[in-house]
Amino acid sequence: MNARRTALWLFGAALLVAPAFLMSGYRLFQLTSMAVYAVAILGLDIVTGYTGQVSLGHGAFYAIGAYTGAILMTQFGWPYWATLPAGGAAAALVGYAVGFPALRLTGPYLALVTYALAVAVPQILRARALESWTGGAQGIVVTAPDPPAFLPLSQDAYLYLFTLAVAALLFLLARNMLSGRQLRAMIAVRDHALAAEAAGIDIARVKTRAFAVSAGITGVAGALGAIVVQFVAPDSFAATLSIALFVGLVVGGSASLPGALAGAAFVQFVPNLAETVNKSAPGVIYGVLLVAALYLMPSGVAGALRRTLPARLRTSTSPGKATPLPNKGATIHVD
Amino acid sequence: MPALLDIRDLHAGYGAGEVLHGIALSVESGGVTALLGANGAGKTTTLRAICGMLPRSGEISFDGARIDAATTEAIARSGIAHVPDGRGTFLDLTVEENMRLGAYIRRDRGVAADIARFCALFPVLGARFHQQAGTLSGGEQQMLAIARALLSRPRLLLLDEPSFGLAPLIVQQLFATLAQIRAESGIGILLVEQNAGLALDFADHACILEAGRIALAGTAAALAADAQVRRVYLGY
Amino acid sequence: MIGFLHQTLSGLATGAIYAAVALALVMVYRATHHLNFAQGEMATFSTYIALSLIQAGAPYWVAFVLTALFSFVLGFALERLLLRRFAEAPGLTAVGVSIGLLLIFNALSGWLFGFTVKQFPSPFESGGVVLGGLVSAHEIGMVGVTLIVLLAVYAFFRFTPLGLAMRAAAANPASSRLVGIRVGRMLALGWGLAAVLGSIAGMMVAPVVFLDPNMMFGILLYAFAGALLGGIDNPAGAVIGGFAVGVIENLGGAYLVGTELKLTLALIIIAAVLVLRPAGLFGRIVVARV
């Protein structure tokens, strides 16, 4: 890494850390939850962007992570940081179970079963049988963690930095995972299913594993979200959350890590802004932008930037450059 | 009289790869032009280009009107029927439905009579009238494809390897039938055929395609008499 | 026993709705190989149109027919103006566009007609109780109308040249063009017909579940389950699957999971079909095709 790149990285890091000291209250909270969404969309990106399988149910994995975290904290007294891997593992497990039957098949089955999951999960969370665990429709209130005594930070600032650190860690993990053999296998599966199979790649296995990892990352985001929002309830995880994550992914740009960030900004800020106009406006804007984005920039905001930014800048700002293919015409042929 | 089909400087190919590099050929009204050549020379591509099934440039006139920018369905509606490579059978539909689809563009009342006629001509189609076309053998599907094409009452028939997969006896019958239809209806035929001897017997004109260019063209009789053609394509 | 019979009959009645929507989904799927996630929201939007017509004074059946016509035009125009541009798109784009339409129609319904839950009239209410109180007059009428529509659709596809051409265009577009079928137009017709089926399902179910912008949300999921159960590429299977899912839902809701987990039942059906018989009861095997 040369000095110039190091400087850019430091600058970027400073830019991300600065709000913890410059902002407070609701504004900072918004940035924190945007970072949480970025992780959730990152998870979705791994399956939908990189393997070309559409998931409409990542809101459900987010919910599973959030509830796992909330239950472990409130009923088992787990420390907040320990709930993140547990929430991820729970979501990954469900992801594996749901993904496996659908991913053996070629066709829109994953989209279908994940859509069903997205619709069903809020109902399950509300179910009376599980009420002693989930708190039913009331949900669970979580106590926010205090900053460690040695850090002179407000609770909001600490939460922001903690979320940022987790997000950075997961992005780095994803980046490493997506830079090697694993990524090539996934892209091969996405673009050339038949050839990939002939080359000895077990397609169903690659897809199902990717899907479990993807659900797991979004589950971590859920657990993180439970800590940040300090509350989980079925209504927070309606099917609209899954759809919002999907829209964020597409508008931000699939198969690109910076795209997840752009998508998160979209999901965090656009509905709030639009709702000031009209209760229906977020839906219309989501829908129209989604269709327009698919039509005008099939590789999303990140892809559009990648094409317009000078190459010099690109190498440092685009860790997703390992995937040169825009998503137009680049999925497994569904037949 | 202008030719029924007149092709000039036709270029066509799949995506980036050009297969036809500017060919010219024509089919007279009521005439048969055979298109011969080795595998990969561009015979099937020529037929597909005529039907607008792939990107092409150049001049294609059918019955005096340019069709080189028309869609496949418009070309079919203008009176060109194509028995494609692979036969194009609607495998899920019955034999009857396949035949009715052949007559899809017709609005006259003679369809049922024509279907009965082709069932008589190809008895196996009559016998399997209500079966799924996917259950037919390759040869039977070939007959169905020809019946389907002729049921549109075309003025020009594009035949891609009609003898493919058929027993020699059936091939003889088929060409006798085609000759009969040609005599009755004055239909023009552009015939792509591996069996050069058969094709030159049947055609009045012939072209030989080599690597996307017309290497030789003339009357069928002249080509059949050409020493090189005899050696390379006819094998004697 | 009476309770069981009641639940079964009532399940058949809602099953009729699922069957109609499932058939709409299968029609679009056969032609495009994509699922239309917006099918339900389009139907809700159409139902609002019907309510507006009725409130404006139109007799029920006039509003019914006008709404069906409107829905046909809506579906046809959507395909011609919008979806055609995505015809060659990969799965992600296709799903994305239909999700986009879902959001747009859902929001439009709320925007134009309000978010409050509304009552929707039934043309069958006057008959009162039928079959000793086992089913309502509306349930009978709902099944009757749906069956008539399904039969009409069957007859259209089976016996008319246009129906044949639509089947051909869905199964084999290349060969269809060669016989002169305008494949693009057939696709748009298919979208139009699917929208008509959805709108009729919407108008029939609205008196039971009441009309609000999210009315078809759960129904779409059951329709998906029905379509998958019957075979996602098999129209007759989808209809049978739709009725079956209606009965399973009602009996399962009454005796197994309770009404609060009814949507979970749809998830279970979908997952079970994918595990046990991915092609559905009447579809073709699709496992391990690349």
Side-chain angles (χ1 to χ4, degrees):
Chain A
M1 194 184 280
N2 59 31
R4 196 197 175 94
R5 282 191 73 176
T6 314
L8 263 169
W9 272 98
L10 285 175
F11 178 70
L15 210 64
L16 287 171
V17 170
F21 304 97
L22 302 175
M23 293 172 155
S24 61
Y26 186 62
R27 291 247 166 259
L28 192 57
F29 169 77
Q30 281 185 316
L31 281 188
T32 311
S33 66
M34 179 183 141
V36 173
Y37 281 136
V39 175
I41 293 174
L42 171 73
L44 178 58
D45 200 3
I46 285 176
V47 70
T48 297
Y50 290 94
T51 67
Q53 294 289 316
V54 180
S55 166
L56 294 174
H58 264 54
F61 300 125
Y62 186 94
I64 290 165
Y67 267 85
T68 306
I71 291 170
L72 287 176
M73 272 187 280
T74 54
Q75 300 192 17
F76 295 88
W78 281 38
Y80 65 96
W81 47 266
T83 64
L84 300 186
L93 213 63
V94 176
Y96 197 90
V98 170
F100 180 68
L103 291 168
R104 288 180 306 153
L105 313 168
T106 305
Y109 299 102
L110 188 71
L112 184 54
V113 75
T114 50
Y115 177 79
L117 189 68
V119 175
V121 155
Q123 249 196 1
I124 298 174
L125 295 176
R126 211 175 279 122
R128 227 167 298 137
L130 300 172
E131 210 167 306
S132 59
W133 297 90
T134 60
Q138 305 300 316
I140 307 169
V141 175
V142 178
T143 323
D146 288 320
F150 59 88
L151 283 177
L153 287 169
S154 73
Q155 195 177 49
D156 289 337
Y158 174 67
L159 269 182
Y160 175 73
L161 289 175
F162 177 70
T163 306
L164 204 60
V166 174
L169 185 71
L170 287 172
F171 269 79
L172 280 175
L173 277 177
R175 193 186 166 206
N176 281 343
M177 193 181 92
L178 294 176
S179 60
R181 231 172 63 90
Q182 200 70 21
L183 172 76
R184 286 201 300 278
M186 279 161 67
I187 290 185
V189 164
R190 182 186 70 179
D191 297 341
H192 310 285
L194 196 63
E197 186 130 279
I201 296 173
D202 182 344
I203 289 186
R205 210 155 102 194
V206 170
K207 284 196 222 164
T208 309
R209 272 191 196 163
F211 189 67
V213 169
S214 151
I217 291 179
T218 301
V220 173
L224 206 50
I227 298 167
V228 168
V229 181
Q230 298 159 37
F231 177 55
V232 295
D235 290 336
S236 319
F237 308 115
T240 42
L241 175 63
S242 293
I243 290 178
L245 294 178
F246 178 75
V247 175
L249 174 75
V250 172
V251 173
S254 61
S256 119
L257 298 183
L261 215 58
F266 179 83
V267 170
Q268 175 62 36
F269 294 108
V270 170
N272 285 344
L273 290 176
E275 211 146 55
T276 57
V277 181
N278 180 306
K279 197 178 166 193
S280 293
V284 173
I285 290 175
Y286 263 43
V288 169
L289 279 184
L290 179 58
V291 174
L294 289 167
Y295 185 62
L296 296 173
M297 33 178 212
S299 49
V301 169
L305 278 180
R306 216 180 301 156
R307 279 192 302 275
T308 45
L309 284 181
R312 198 158 35 83
L313 261 171
R314 252 184 326 200
T315 51
S316 53
T317 56
S318 174
K321 70 182 189 301
T323 61
L325 291 164
N327 65 14
K328 192 169 202 175
T331 50
I332 296 161
H333 183 63
V334 179
D335 192 5
Chain B
M1 202 177 94
L4 179 66
L5 180 76
D6 198 17
I7 296 176
R8 282 176 203 169
D9 193 31
L10 176 66
H11 296 256
Y14 304 84
E18 191 178 275
V19 177
L20 299 179
H21 312 292
I23 66 163
L25 63 83
S26 60
V27 180
E28 300 296 327
S29 201
V32 177
T33 299
L35 191 57
L36 308 177
N39 278 331
K43 304 180 303 269
T44 294
T45 306
T46 306
L47 298 193
R48 288 190 181 166
I50 293 169
C51 285
M53 295 167 79
L54 33 89
R56 76 277 201 211
S57 67
E59 222 175 281
I60 309 173
S61 302
F62 175 59
D63 211 8
R66 291 281 291 267
I67 57 165
D68 43 69
T71 61
T72 303
E73 44 265 57
I75 292 166
R77 284 164 176 268
S78 72
I80 298 180
H82 184 172
V83 176
D85 178 41
R87 309 181 192 102
T89 311
F90 297 93
L91 300 171
D92 300 336
L93 304 182
T94 64
V95 170
E96 178 193 7
E97 287 170 333
N98 267 271
M99 292 171 91
R100 277 168 47 201
L101 282 170
Y104 177 70
I105 58 172
R106 283 170 60 181
R107 290 289 170 263
D108 60 82
R109 291 171 181 278
V111 174
D114 276 6
I115 287 180
R117 198 170 131 238
F118 282 107
C119 286
L121 208 55
F122 303 115
V124 65
L125 298 185
R128 301 186 161 221
F129 201 51
H130 296 295
Q131 283 183 26
Q132 276 204 347
T135 63
L136 299 185
S137 72
E140 290 162 352
Q141 284 189 35
Q142 191 68 58
M143 295 177 210
L144 178 59
I146 290 165
R148 197 178 62 230
L150 289 172
L151 272 162
S152 69
R153 290 214 171 145
R155 280 172 298 154
L156 174 67
L157 182 63
L158 310 181
L159 287 172
D160 201 342
E161 308 258 1
S163 72
F164 184 82
L166 298 185
L169 196 65
I170 309 279
V171 173
Q172 274 184 17
Q173 275 178 18
L174 176 66
F175 275 84
T177 308
L178 285 171
Q180 186 191 341
I181 288 165
R182 180 187 162 201
E184 284 170 12
S185 61
I187 187 176
I189 298 176
L190 178 57
L191 172 68
V192 163
E193 185 50 72
Q194 280 287 326
N195 185 337
L198 188 72
L200 289 176
D201 268 354
F202 185 65
D204 345 289
H205 288 84
C207 304
I208 291 180
L209 260 180
E210 269 173 22
R213 291 190 170 81
I214 300 283
L216 201 58
T219 63
L223 259 67
D226 184 282
Q228 203 182 346
V229 172
R230 290 171 71 115
R231 200 178 64 244
V232 177
Y233 294 100
L234 299 174
Y236 58 87
Chain C
M1 191 57 219
I2 289 292
F4 183 82
L5 198 60
H6 172 74
Q7 293 295 348
T8 307
L9 290 174
S10 171
L12 283 174
T14 36
I17 302 299
Y18 303 154
V21 180
L23 181 59
L25 293 168
V26 167
M27 276 170 61
V28 171
Y29 181 78
R30 276 171 68 98
T32 64
H33 295 281
H34 295 307
L35 299 175
N36 180 13
F37 286 91
Q39 199 79 60
E41 308 304 305
M42 287 165 65
T44 306
F45 189 76
S46 294
T47 310
Y48 273 111
I49 300 289
L51 185 64
S52 304
L53 289 169
I54 292 168
Q55 283 172 346
Y60 182 90
W61 292 108
V62 173
F64 182 91
V65 171
L66 285 178
T67 301
L69 283 175
F70 165 83
S71 306
F72 180 82
V73 174
L74 178 74
F76 190 93
L78 269 181
E79 201 288 329
R80 288 282 78 181
L81 299 176
L82 183 72
L83 297 154
R84 194 166 54 125
R85 298 170 201 283
F86 296 96
E88 300 300 317
L92 170 62
T93 309
V95 172
V97 171
S98 82
I99 292 290
L101 287 177
L102 178 156
L103 291 166
I104 292 170
F105 278 107
N106 182 276
L108 276 184
S109 292
W111 196 332
L112 298 178
F113 306 105
F115 293 90
T116 52
V117 177
K118 290 190 166 74
Q119 284 203 318
F120 191 90
S122 164
F124 309 110
E125 218 68 89
S126 55
V129 181
V130 188
L131 288 180
L134 278 176
V135 281
S136 72
H138 179 77
E139 282 177 324
I140 298 262
M142 181 161 104
V143 174
V145 167
T146 313
L147 284 180
I148 290 169
V149 169
L150 292 176
L151 276 177
V153 170
Y154 171 78
F156 170 74
F157 280 111
R158 180 72 182 78
F159 300 114
T160 71
L162 190 59
L164 176 61
M166 285 176 69
R167 282 193 287 151
N172 193 340
S175 290
S176 299
R177 289 195 180 92
L178 286 180
V179 297
I181 294 170
R182 296 184 176 106
V183 172
R185 197 177 294 178
M186 297 303 128
L187 213 58
L189 280 177
W191 269 82
L193 268 185
V196 170
L197 280 171
S199 75
I200 291 172
M203 288 185 278
M204 285 295 115
V205 82
V208 183
V209 299
F210 301 112
L211 180 56
D212 78 287
N214 298 322
M215 175 181 80
M216 295 297 277
F217 207 71
I219 293 172
L220 181 74
L221 190 60
Y222 282 110
F224 272 132
L228 197 63
L229 180 62
I232 194 79
D233 60 354
N234 185 316
V239 169
I240 297 170
F243 277 105
V245 165
V247 174
I248 295 172
E249 176 211 356
N250 256 47
L251 294 180
Y255 301 110
L256 284 176
V257 296
T259 47
E260 58 171 10
L261 281 176
K262 271 188 168 188
L263 288 171
T264 311
L265 209 54
L267 169 67
I268 292 169
I269 294 172
I270 289 173
V273 173
L274 287 181
V275 171
L276 301 173
R277 200 178 162 85
L281 296 175
F282 310 99
R284 264 177 277 162
I285 298 299
V286 285
V287 185
R289 262 183 65 203
V290 174

